[in-house]
C-alpha cells in the first residue's frame, strides 16, 4: 500500500428490484444544452487536479475511510452475507465442470504480491513457505529465490496465516485478517493442515472463522495449536477469538472468547521456553454501511500462564491508569485499535507491544522486562503512516533482545530496545511478516505487499534481495494490444501498472514484466491503432498517457477538473471508432478528442447521472457509503454518439447524441446495484450486455442483463452462473459467445442461451477481475486477484 492510497475500490451491492425475465422498462428522456457545462480543461504533464475534488475515503481527521470487505459487499444487497450463502455459491461453481482447453500462466512472475505470513522449515535447509493474500501457499527450496505452489489450485486461495510445528506439520488459516483498506481482502473456510510439506492438505475445522490472524504451535508439543480467529469484518462469523487444539484432534476449544460480535483474535505470541505463557490480542473492528471502525472496547491485550486455560487482560501499562497523548494506553477504550505482540527469544521476559488507534495512527509502543507484568510506554514505533490497522506486527532478533523490527509502510528497525528507530531501506512497502532462518546465521526473510525478500546481514538497510519468481500478483485490470497478443499491461495492487515490453523493445519473456506507473495499478489501456500509445491509472483517477518513440516515454496527466468525486477504480475507455477519443468517469462523464490532453464534460453537472451521495444509515442501510460515481462506460462501435454509462448507485444511462440527451433505464427490472461492466455489440449499438455486483435474491443466480433493442426491454441471462459477483464481460461477436469473469472463475455462454459453462480447466480458484480477447480472436486472457494473469486458446469455428 503506497503512502498516498487512503481510498479504495468499493463495489457495494444494492437491493434488486422486481423479478427476472424479459421486462419492458419505464424510461425517461431528459434534454439539456451541452454548452452549459462543456468548458474545457487543459492539463499538462505534472499538473494537479482541482482543489475542489473530493477524494472518497478521506476523513476530516486525516485517517483513511476504507471500503467494506470486498467479498461481503459485492455479494450482499445491503444485508449480511451468511456462510450458507457463500457455501451455496461455491457449490454452484463446482457443478459447472471445466470445459475443453487448459489455462496457462502468463505472469507477471517477477513482481510478487501481498504476502500475509511466512514460515521457515527448520528441518530442511533453504526451505520456506509463504502465504499469499489471494494466491494460496507457496514453497521455496532455494532460500526464497523462486517459489512453487504448495496449495491445491481448486481450494480457496485466500491465506491469512501459516505455522509449522516441530514435527514438520504445516498449518494454514484461510481468510485474510487485514481489513480491506490496503487492497481487496477475502474470506476463507477455516484451518488446514499438511504433514507432507504442502503436497496434500486436510481441512481441520474452524470453518466459520471467516479470517485467521495468527497461528502458533506449542514448541514442546506440536499437537497443541492456538489460532486467532478474526471473524468477518462486515458480517456474521460464528467463530471468533482464540481457539486451542490439543492431542492432534479436530475439536477446537474457544479459550479466549470475545466480548461482542465485532471483535476477533488477530495476534498471538508464545514463550519458547515456557509454552504455558501465551499472549493474545483481540481486535474490535467492523465495516458496515459506509462506516469504518477499526477499534473499539473489545480490543485488548491478554496473557495466559496456564496454557490458555485462563486469561488476564493487561489493561494498565504500569499497574495504574496511565494516559498517553491519544488516550488511555492499553486500557479498555473505544479508540483502541489493532495490537501486535512479540517476545524476545533470547530473553522471553522481554515483551514488546505496539498499538494503534481506530483511525490507524500509532497509539503507543510498550516494553516489558518482567514477562508482561508491567508494560512501560516507550514513545512511538510507527512511521506516522496512519495505517496501523494494516500492520500491527513486531519481530525480535532471536540473538539480541534489543534488536527488533516494526511493520509499517517502510520497515522500521531499532537496535536499542525501541528507544530509537530507523528505516531498513530496500524492500517494497507495507510489511506483514518477518522470520529468521534458524539454520543460517543472520539470514532473515520478509514478506510485504511486493512479495518476498531475504537479507543475509540481519536485515541491514539496503541488504534485501527480492525473489525472482513469485507469480502471485493481484491484478485489477488488463490490456492487450490488438496487433500483438504478447503485448500486455496490467494494473496490480500496490505494484503499479506493469507491461511485458519496454519503451525501447518489444515483448520479451512474458513472465518478466516491468513497471511503468506507481501506486495501485488500476485501469490500463493500449491504443488499438498504435500499440506505442498506452495509458495507466493509479487510484482515484491519477492517470497518464505514455508514448514510446525511439526508446522514450512521454507522460501527460489526465484531466479530472470536472468531477467532484472519483472512485478508486475510475473507468477509462477509448472510443472504438477513433482511439484518440478518450472517456473518463467521475461523477460526470468527461470526453477528450486529443488522447487526454484536453477534456470536455458531456454529461450534466453534479449528481445528475449518479444521484447524490447517499446519507449514512444504520447497519442495515443499503445505500450508505457509496461514492456515487461512474463505474462503467460502453461506447458503440457502429455509432460513436451512442454511449452507455453505469454507476455504483445502480443507475444505467444511454445517450445517442454524444450527451445532449440522456435516457435512464428505471423501473421494475434492472437491479439497483453497482454496475461492473458494459459491453456494446460491435456490430449493433442496440445490443448490450451489463454485469452487476452482488447476490441476486431469488430464482436467478447472477446479474448479467442483455438488451437487443437499445434498452427498451432487458433480460436476465445469468442463468446457472454461481451466485457471485460478475466482474467483467467480453464478447466474441463473430461467434456470438459471451465470457464472464466472476469471483469463482471464467464462464461462457453461446448464442444467448442461459446454460453457462466453465471455460477451460486449471485456472486457480481466485477471483477473476478482468478478461480480454486478443485482436486475432485466438486467445482469452484472464487477470486474477492473487494468481497473476492466465491465458487459454479460444475455439476456432
Amino acid at each position: 500500500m503506497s503512502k498516498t492510497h487512503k481510498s479504495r475500490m468499493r463495489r457495494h451491492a444494492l437491493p434488486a428490484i422486481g423479478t427476472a425475465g424479459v421486462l419492458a422498462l419505464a424510461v425517461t428522456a431528459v434534454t439539456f444544452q451541452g454548452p452549459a457545462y462543456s468548458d474545457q480543461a487543459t492539463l499538462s504533464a505534472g499538473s494537479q487536479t482541482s482543489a475542489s475534488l473530493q477524494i472518497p475515503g478521506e476523513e476530516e481527521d486525516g485517517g483513511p475511510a476504507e471500503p467494506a470487505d470486498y467479498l461481503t459487499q459485492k455479494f450482499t444487497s445491503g444485508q449480511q452475507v451468511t456462510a450458507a450463502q457463500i457455501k451455496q455459491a461455491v457449490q454452484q461453481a463446482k457443478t459447472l465442470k471445466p470445459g475443453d482447453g487448459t489455462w496457462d500462466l502468463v505472469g507477471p512472475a517477477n513482481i510478487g504480491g501481498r504476502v500475509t505470513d511466512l514460515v521457515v522449515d527448520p528441518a530442511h535447509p533453504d526451505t520456506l513457505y509463504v502465504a499469499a493474500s489471494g494466491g494460496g501457499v507457496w514453497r521455496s527450496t532455494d532460500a526464497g529465490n523462486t517459489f512453487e505452489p504448495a496449495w491445491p489450485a481448486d481450494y480457496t486461495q485466500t491465506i491469512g496465516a501459516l505455522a509449522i510445528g516441530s514435527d514438520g506439520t504445516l498449518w494454514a488459516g484461510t481468510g485474510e485478517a487485514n481489513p480491506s483498506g490496503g487492497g481487496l481482502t477475502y474470506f476463507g473456510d477455516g484451518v488446514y493442515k499438511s504433514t507432507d510439506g504442502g503436497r496434500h492438505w486436510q481441512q481441520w475445522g474452524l470453518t466459520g472463522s471467516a479470517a485467521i490472524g495468527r497461528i502458533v504451535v506449542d514448541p514442546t508439543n506440536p499437537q497443541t495449536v492456538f489460532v486467532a480467529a478474526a471473524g468477518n469484518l462486515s458480517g456474521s462469523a460464528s467463530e471468533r477469538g482464540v481457539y486451542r487444539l490439543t492431542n492432534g484432534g479436530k475439536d477446537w476449544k474457544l479459550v479466549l472468547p470475545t466480548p461482542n460480535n465485532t471483535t476477533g483474535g488477530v495476534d498471538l505470541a508464545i514463550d519458547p521456553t515456557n509454552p504455558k505463557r501465551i499472549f493474545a490480542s483481540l481486535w474490535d473492528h467492523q465495516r458496515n454501511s459506509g462506516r469504518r471502525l477499526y477499534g473499539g472496547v473489545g480490543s485488548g491485550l491478554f496473557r495466559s500462564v496456564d496454557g490458555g486455560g485462563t486469561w488476564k487482560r493487561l489493561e494498565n501499562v504500569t499497574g495504574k491508569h496511565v494516559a498517553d497523548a491519544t488516550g488511555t494506553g492499553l486500557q479498555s477504550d473505544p479508540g483502541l485499535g489493532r495490537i501486535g505482540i512479540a517476545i524476545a527469544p533470547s530473553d522471553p521476559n522481554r515483551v514488546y507491544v505496539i498499538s494503534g488507534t481506530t483511525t490507524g495512527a500509532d497509539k503507543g509502543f510498550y516494553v516489558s522486562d518482567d514477562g508482561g507484568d508491567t508494560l512501560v510506554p516507550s514513545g512511538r514505533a510507527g512511521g506516522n503512516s496512519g495505517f496501523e490497522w494494516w500492520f500491527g506486527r513486531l519481530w525480535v532478533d532471536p540473538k539480541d533482545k534489543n534488536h527488533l523490527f516494526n511493520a509499517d509502510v517502510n520497515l522500521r528497525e531499532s537496535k536499542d530496545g525501541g528507544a530509537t528507530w530507523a528505516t531498513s531501506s530496500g524492500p517494497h512497502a507495507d510489511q506483514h511478516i518477518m522470520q529468521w532462518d534458524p539454520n543460517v546465521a543472520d539470514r532473515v526473510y520478509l514478506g510485504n505487499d511486493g512479495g518476498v525478500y531475504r537479507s543475509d546481514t540481519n536485515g541491514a538497510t539496503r541488504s534485501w534481495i527480492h525473489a525472482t519468481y513469485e507469480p502471485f500478483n493481484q491484478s485489477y485490470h488488463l490490456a492487450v494490444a490488438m496487433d500483438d497478443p504478447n503485448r500486455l499491461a496490467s494494473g496490480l495492487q500496490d505494484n503499479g501498472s506493469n507491461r511485458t515490453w519496454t519503451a525501447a523493445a518489444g515483448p520479451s519473456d512474458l513472465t518478466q514484466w516491468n513497471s511503468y506507473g506507481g501506486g495501485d495499478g488500476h485501469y490500463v489501456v493500449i491504443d488499438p491503432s498504435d500499440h506505442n500509445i498506452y495509458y495507466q491509472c493509479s487510484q482515484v483517477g491519477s492517470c497518464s498517457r505514455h508514448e514510446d518513440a525511439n526508446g522514450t516515454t512521454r507522460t501527460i496527466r489526465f484531466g479530472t477538473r470536472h468531477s467532484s468525486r472519483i472512485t478508486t477504480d475510475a473507468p477509462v475507455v477509448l472510443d472504438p471508432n477513433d482511439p484518440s477519443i478518450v472517456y473518463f468517469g467521475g461523477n460526470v462523464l468527461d470526453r477528450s478528442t486529443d488522447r487526454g490532453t484536453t477534456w470536455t464534460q458531456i454529461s450534466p453537472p453534479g449528481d445528475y447521472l449518479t444521484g447524490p451521495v447517499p446519507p449514512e444509515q444504520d447497519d442495515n442501510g443499503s445505500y450508505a457509503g457509496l461514492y456515487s460515481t461512474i463505474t462503467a462506460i460502453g461506447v458503440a462501435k457502429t455509432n460513436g454518439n451512442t454511449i452507455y454509462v453505469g454507476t455504483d448507485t445502480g443507475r444505467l444511462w444511454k445517450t445517442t447524441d454524444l450527451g445532449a440527451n440522456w435516457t435512464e433505464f428505471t423501473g421494475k427490472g434492472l437491479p439497483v446495484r453497482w454496475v461492473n461492466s458494459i459491453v456494446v455489440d460491435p456490430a449493433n449499438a442496440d445490443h448490450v450486455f451489463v454485469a452487476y455486483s452482488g447476490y441476486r435474491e431469488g430464482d436467478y443466480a447472477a446479474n448479467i442483463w442483455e438488451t437487443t433493442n437499445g434498452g427498451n426491454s432487458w433480460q436476465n441471462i445469468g442463468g446457472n452462473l454461481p451466485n457471485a459477483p460478475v466482474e467483467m464481460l467480453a464478447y466474441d461477436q463473430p461467434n456470438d459467445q459471451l465470457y464472464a469473469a466472476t469471483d469463482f472463475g471464467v464462464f461462457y455462454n453461446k448464442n444467448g442461451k442461459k446454460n453457462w459453462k466453465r471455460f477451460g480447466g486449471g485456472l486457480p480458484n481466485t477471483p477473476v477481475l478482468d478478461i480480454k480477447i486478443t485482436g486475432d480472436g485466438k486467445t482469452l486472457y484472464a487477470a486474477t486477484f492473487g494468481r497473476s494473469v492466465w491465458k487459454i486458446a479460444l475455439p476456432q469455428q
Side-chain angles (χ1 to χ4, degrees):
M1 180 176 57
S2 65
K3 293 181 181 179
T4 59
H5 65 180
K6 294 184 179 180
S7 55
R8 297 286 164 184
M9 187 191 320
R10 304 187 200 184
R11 295 185 180 183
H12 285 247
L14 301 179
I17 299 177
T19 58
V22 179
L23 300 167
L25 304 183
V27 298
T28 57
V30 179
T31 303
F32 52 88
Q33 299 300 317
Y37 54 84
S38 63
D39 57 300
Q40 288 197 337
T42 302
L43 284 88
S44 59
S47 61
Q48 302 299 314
T49 59
S50 169
S52 64
L53 174 65
Q54 300 174 17
I55 301 178
E58 297 296 296
E59 293 186 340
E60 292 181 0
D61 63 2
E66 303 301 343
D69 184 282
Y70 195 58
L71 183 61
T72 299
Q73 292 301 322
K74 289 169 53 127
F75 265 138
T76 60
S77 55
Q79 303 172 6
Q80 291 185 350
V81 66
T82 66
Q85 287 173 304
I86 296 176
K87 184 177 180 179
Q88 180 188 28
V90 172
Q91 293 302 318
Q92 289 172 331
K94 287 182 177 180
T95 62
L96 299 177
K97 301 299 182 183
D100 296 335
T102 301
W103 291 89
D104 295 315
L105 175 67
V106 173
N110 59 315
I111 296 172
R114 186 162 72 250
V115 170
T116 56
D117 212 343
L118 181 155
V119 294
V120 180
D121 188 337
H124 298 88
D126 298 333
T127 299
L128 64 149
Y129 300 86
V130 302
S133 167
V137 180
W138 294 75
R139 179 196 307 110
S140 174
T141 57
D142 58 6
N145 185 43
T146 62
F147 287 85
E148 61 181 3
W151 186 256
D154 59 346
Y155 283 23
T156 177
Q157 299 296 296
T158 302
I159 311 295
L162 279 180
I164 189 168
S166 58
D167 60 351
T169 298
L170 281 169
W171 295 89
T174 62
E176 185 177 355
N178 293 318
S180 57
L184 310 185
T185 56
Y186 288 82
F187 299 140
D189 58 355
V191 174
Y192 290 74
K193 68 179 283 190
S194 172
T195 58
D196 57 5
R199 292 167 181 83
H200 301 88
W201 291 86
Q202 293 176 279
Q203 192 175 49
W204 216 259
L206 296 182
T207 58
S209 55
I212 303 297
R214 194 70 177 266
I215 303 174
V216 296
V217 183
D218 186 326
T220 63
N221 179 8
Q223 294 194 29
T224 298
V225 183
F226 293 86
V227 167
N232 184 325
L233 179 67
S234 300
S236 61
S238 58
E239 294 168 318
R240 294 174 177 266
V242 175
Y243 289 81
R244 181 183 64 195
L245 183 71
T246 57
N247 300 322
K250 290 187 177 181
D251 295 327
W252 293 91
K253 181 179 181 180
L254 178 61
V255 293
L256 180 56
T258 64
N260 54 45
N261 60 8
T262 59
T263 299
V266 70
D267 203 7
L268 294 166
I270 189 167
D271 187 333
T273 61
N274 175 19
K276 295 292 185 182
R277 188 172 60 159
I278 309 156
F279 292 86
S281 66
L282 298 182
W283 186 17
D284 192 340
H285 61 304
Q286 60 177 312
R287 178 71 199 208
N288 278 318
S289 301
R291 296 194 303 272
R292 184 261 302 127
L293 297 173
Y294 289 160
V297 294
S299 299
L301 177 66
F302 297 81
R303 183 185 62 185
S304 173
V305 295
D306 58 3
T310 59
W311 295 81
K312 177 184 178 182
R313 176 166 182 153
L314 305 179
E315 288 192 333
N316 302 322
V317 293
T318 58
K320 299 179 180 179
H321 174 76
V322 176
D324 61 19
T326 58
T328 55
L330 297 176
Q331 187 88 6
S332 178
D333 176 5
L336 180 58
R338 186 169 181 169
I339 300 170
I341 323 137
I343 299 173
S346 61
D347 180 4
N349 284 322
R350 173 66 63 84
V351 179
Y352 295 102
V353 177
I354 189 168
S355 63
T357 68
T358 298
T359 56
D362 184 340
K363 188 174 177 64
F365 171 73
Y366 305 91
V367 182
S368 174
D369 278 311
D370 53 14
D373 287 342
T374 57
L375 287 160
V376 179
S378 185
R380 306 272 189 247
N384 297 318
S385 67
F387 304 129
E388 196 59 46
W389 39 260
W390 191 237
F391 309 117
R393 289 285 175 86
L394 294 163
W395 307 286
V396 187
D397 186 332
K399 294 182 179 180
D400 182 355
K401 67 180 181 180
N402 292 310
H403 184 210
L404 70 155
F405 293 85
N406 173 43
D408 209 297
V409 172
N410 297 315
L411 182 63
R412 306 274 291 168
E413 180 183 20
S414 175
K415 297 181 179 180
D416 53 13
T420 61
W421 294 87
T423 296
S424 180
S425 300
H428 190 277
D430 297 350
Q431 320 310 315
H432 295 291
I433 182 61
M434 191 173 186
Q435 289 290 329
W436 276 261
D437 190 331
N439 300 308
V440 181
D442 295 331
R443 173 175 288 176
V444 60
Y445 296 96
L446 177 69
N448 55 37
D449 276 15
V452 180
Y453 290 78
R454 185 189 80 237
S455 169
D456 291 322
T457 54
N458 215 20
T461 189
R462 299 294 176 187
S463 69
W464 296 98
I465 303 167
H466 193 214
T468 61
Y469 186 83
E470 45 182 349
F472 36 83
N473 303 107
Q474 297 174 310
S475 179
Y476 286 118
H477 286 288
L478 179 68
V480 182
M482 288 296 97
D483 61 346
D484 186 347
N486 292 324
R487 187 177 286 260
L488 312 176
S490 182
L492 306 179
Q493 187 273 326
D494 207 24
N495 285 276
S497 297
N498 294 265
R499 59 193 176 186
T500 60
W501 74 96
T502 65
S508 56
D509 181 358
L510 292 187
T511 64
Q512 302 297 306
W513 298 36
N514 65 94
S515 174
Y516 72 98
D520 283 301
H522 283 277
Y523 268 83
V524 286
V525 182
I526 301 174
D527 189 317
S529 66
D530 183 355
H531 64 222
N532 291 307
I533 301 174
Y534 50 99
Y535 305 83
Q536 66 84 22
C537 292
S538 57
Q539 57 272 34
V540 199
S542 178
C543 304
S544 302
R545 182 182 84 230
H546 296 252
E547 300 177 8
D548 292 350
N550 300 320
T552 62
T553 298
R554 179 169 175 243
T555 301
I556 299 177
R557 292 288 178 188
F558 272 22
T560 56
R561 185 165 295 171
H562 300 115
S563 285
S564 59
R565 296 186 306 275
I566 301 173
T567 188
T568 299
D569 197 40
V572 176
V573 173
L574 303 187
D575 188 327
N577 308 279
D578 180 357
S580 65
I581 298 176
V582 187
Y583 291 92
F584 179 87
N587 64 300
V588 300
L589 182 64
D590 274 350
R591 181 176 187 260
S592 171
T593 59
D594 52 12
R595 292 191 166 95
T597 302
T598 61
W599 294 89
T600 299
Q601 181 182 326
I602 67 165
S603 69
D607 302 326
Y608 180 87
L609 291 182
T610 65
V613 178
E616 297 287 352
Q617 305 205 4
D618 61 19
D619 287 349
N620 292 320
S622 300
Y623 291 87
L626 296 179
Y627 289 173
S628 294
T629 63
I630 294 168
T631 52
I633 305 167
V635 184
K637 186 173 183 179
T638 54
N639 181 359
N641 291 327
T642 297
I643 307 166
Y644 295 82
V645 170
T647 74
D648 60 2
T649 47
R651 303 179 75 173
L652 185 67
W653 296 83
K654 171 187 173 183
T655 177
T656 58
D657 49 17
L658 208 60
N661 300 278
W662 289 87
T663 299
E664 183 179 12
F665 306 114
T666 60
K668 298 180 179 180
L670 291 174
V672 186
R673 297 198 185 136
W674 192 299
V675 181
N676 269 353
S677 179
I678 300 174
V679 172
V680 184
D681 186 334
N684 181 0
D686 289 333
H687 185 205
V688 184
F689 302 96
V690 181
Y692 295 84
S693 289
Y695 260 119
R696 174 61 182 168
E697 308 279 359
D699 296 333
Y700 287 82
N703 271 298
I704 300 177
W705 291 73
E706 178 184 22
T707 181
T708 58
N709 54 20
N712 290 325
S713 62
W714 294 84
Q715 181 180 15
N716 187 342
I717 61 170
N720 62 328
L721 277 174
N723 200 14
V726 179
E727 306 285 358
M728 194 64 68
L729 299 173
Y731 183 48
D732 179 4
Q733 188 273 333
N735 297 306
D736 193 20
Q737 188 144 299
L738 183 66
Y739 297 90
T742 79
D743 282 2
F744 291 107
V746 178
F747 303 88
Y748 71 98
N749 172 305
K750 190 169 180 61
N751 299 325
K753 298 178 180 179
K754 294 184 179 180
N755 186 25
W756 291 81
K757 297 180 180 179
R758 183 182 294 276
F759 192 50
L763 188 66
N765 184 25
T766 195
V768 181
L769 299 192
D770 204 351
I771 48 177
K772 290 292 188 293
I773 299 173
T774 56
D776 58 13
K778 295 181 178 180
T779 305
L780 180 72
Y781 284 98
T784 73
F785 199 73
R787 290 292 298 268
S788 298
V789 177
W790 294 67
K791 69 177 181 179
I792 190 171
L794 291 176
Q796 301 300 302
Q797 302 298 324

